[in-house]
Amino acid sequence: MLKQQLTDDMKAAMKGGDKSRLGVIRLILAAVKQVEVDTREELSDADITGVLTKMVKQRRDSVTQYTDAGRTELADQETYEIGIIEGYLPEQMSEDEVAAVIDEIIAATGANGPKDMGKVMGQLKGKLQGKADMGAASALVKQKLTG
């Protein structure tokens, strides 16, 4: 479904002459295709969401590096790409929603210290993948488990 939407949007961008959007969509499809070739199986929407999340994370890291180096034109390009890619991701959860899910998982697993972080993160990843920044969620779990 998501892959078909990407393909349709690529065709629309071609017809509309939107070269910058077309380039980003082609990058997305190439990344999806690469994973499909590597794993030798067609990706589900959840798998594609994982690829998109990874692409956004990479670009955010690049924006930081470009900004630190004074390369604003490159940082602007990466920011533009982030905007396009995020358009294909599910709506992001608020920090309060993420905290509520974390509290629910901690209660369900009986986690009570840093040694239980893996248990909590394993379940959290399944519930939040593509819907929230896992790095921030991880920091929140660590904060809640250490007191």
Side-chain angles (χ1 to χ4, degrees):
M1 177 87 177
L2 189 54
K3 191 173 177 182
Q4 185 60 48
Q5 181 185 356
L6 284 161
T7 304
D8 292 346
D9 288 353
M10 181 179 72
K11 290 175 186 173
M14 275 193 234
K15 289 178 184 173
D18 190 349
K19 291 183 180 181
S20 51
R21 183 174 178 82
L22 175 63
V24 177
I25 294 171
R26 282 183 171 158
L27 284 172
I28 295 169
L29 287 170
V32 168
K33 187 70 170 171
Q34 182 64 50
V35 173
E36 287 180 339
V37 167
D38 291 349
T39 61
R40 293 193 171 111
E41 57 185 47
E42 192 164 333
L43 297 181
S44 67
D45 281 356
D47 295 331
I48 293 173
T49 298
V51 171
L52 294 173
T53 302
K54 185 177 179 183
M55 291 177 77
V56 168
K57 183 179 183 323
Q58 289 169 336
R59 278 157 182 76
R60 284 198 176 119
D61 292 344
S62 295
V63 166
T64 303
Q65 292 174 0
Y66 289 143
T67 303
D68 291 347
R71 301 293 308 267
T72 55
E73 71 284 355
L74 294 174
D76 292 344
Q77 175 62 31
E78 295 290 320
T79 303
Y80 173 77
E81 290 179 11
I82 289 170
I84 301 293
I85 296 167
E86 284 181 334
Y88 295 101
L89 288 171
E91 190 171 325
Q92 298 294 294
M93 296 172 74
S94 72
E95 193 173 319
D96 291 340
E97 291 171 322
V98 172
V101 172
I102 291 170
D103 289 340
E104 179 184 309
I105 292 172
I106 289 174
T109 60
N112 59 8
K115 66 184 184 332
D116 296 325
M117 189 158 172
K119 242 193 299 191
V120 174
M121 288 305 296
Q123 288 192 24
L124 192 63
K125 187 173 181 185
K127 290 189 177 203
L128 299 185
Q129 189 67 42
K131 298 178 190 168
D133 177 5
M134 291 305 293
S138 175
L140 194 54
V141 168
K142 189 174 193 175
Q143 176 188 343
K144 286 180 179 284
L145 291 178
T146 55

